[in-house]
């Protein structure tokens, strides 16, 4: 869908034609879901947050400024919803540790639809700070330009670029260390 078509649909929804929101959801639902899955690392949580993103997108459509990227605006909502979910998950996890005196193990049952699953990469991504994970996912998975990512995060282009490089290098280091540890275990006989 072309940006002009998206803007036309947004204007129609703002004018009261809520049926025009359906095509917007269809256009962006898979991308937002894939993004949420990579941010959260859990299928069910990603589904819930994706739904929340589109509900909030409709509720807050009056706050959307025309002549900016609707997609970037939607990803910004998704980013903040994922951060909120991560905070709630951390709080819940702390409560579980306090009451059960064990450390919960996070696992991923299966990959998100249409996404190649790599357990080591997923674990390394989840070790990044959420803002850095957002930048990596937007740049590499969603192939967004740095300017758009900067707009989503309300950061300068230079700051996003620098964070991207640092996060990418951190991922590389984590994956290399994991690979070296696996090699040591294989050859330690």
């Amino acid at each position: 869908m072309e940006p002009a078509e998206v803007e036309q649909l947004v204007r129609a929804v703002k004018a009261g034609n809520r049926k025009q929101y359906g095509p917007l959801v269809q256009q962006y639902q898979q991308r937002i879901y894939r993004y949420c899955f990579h941010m959260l690392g859990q299928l069910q949580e990603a589904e819930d947050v994706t739904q929340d993103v589109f509900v909030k997108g409709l509720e807050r459509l009056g706050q959307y400024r025309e002549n900016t990227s609707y997609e970037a605006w939607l990803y910004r909502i998704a980013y903040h919803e994922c951060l909120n979910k991560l905070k709630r998950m951390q709080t819940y996890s702390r409560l579980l540790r306090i009451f059960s005196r064990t450390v919960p193990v996070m696992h991923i049952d299966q990959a998100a639809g249409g996404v190649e699953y790599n357990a080591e990469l997923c674990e390394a991504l989840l070790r990044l700070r959420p803002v850095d994970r957002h930048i990596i996912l937007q740049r590499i998975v969603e192939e967004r330009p740095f300017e758009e990512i900067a707009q989503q995060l309300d950061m300068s282009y230079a700051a996003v670029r620098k964070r991207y490089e640092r996060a990418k290098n951190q991922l590389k280091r984590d994956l290399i260390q994991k690979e070296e540890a696996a090699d040591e275990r294989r050859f330690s006989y």
Side-chain angles (χ1 to χ4, degrees), residues 59-75:
E59 290 171 350
R60 297 178 183 167
L61 200 56
Q63 298 172 7
Y64 169 70
R65 294 182 317 249
E66 290 185 27
N67 302 324
T68 61
S69 168
Y70 175 75
E71 187 173 13
W73 181 76
L74 204 55
Y75 272 110

Side-chain angles (χ1 to χ4, degrees), residues 23-34:
L24 290 172
V25 172
Q26 288 176 348
Q27 175 70 20
Y28 297 110
Q29 187 170 21
Q30 272 305 105
R31 292 182 212 165
I32 296 294
Y33 169 73
R34 187 173 50 237

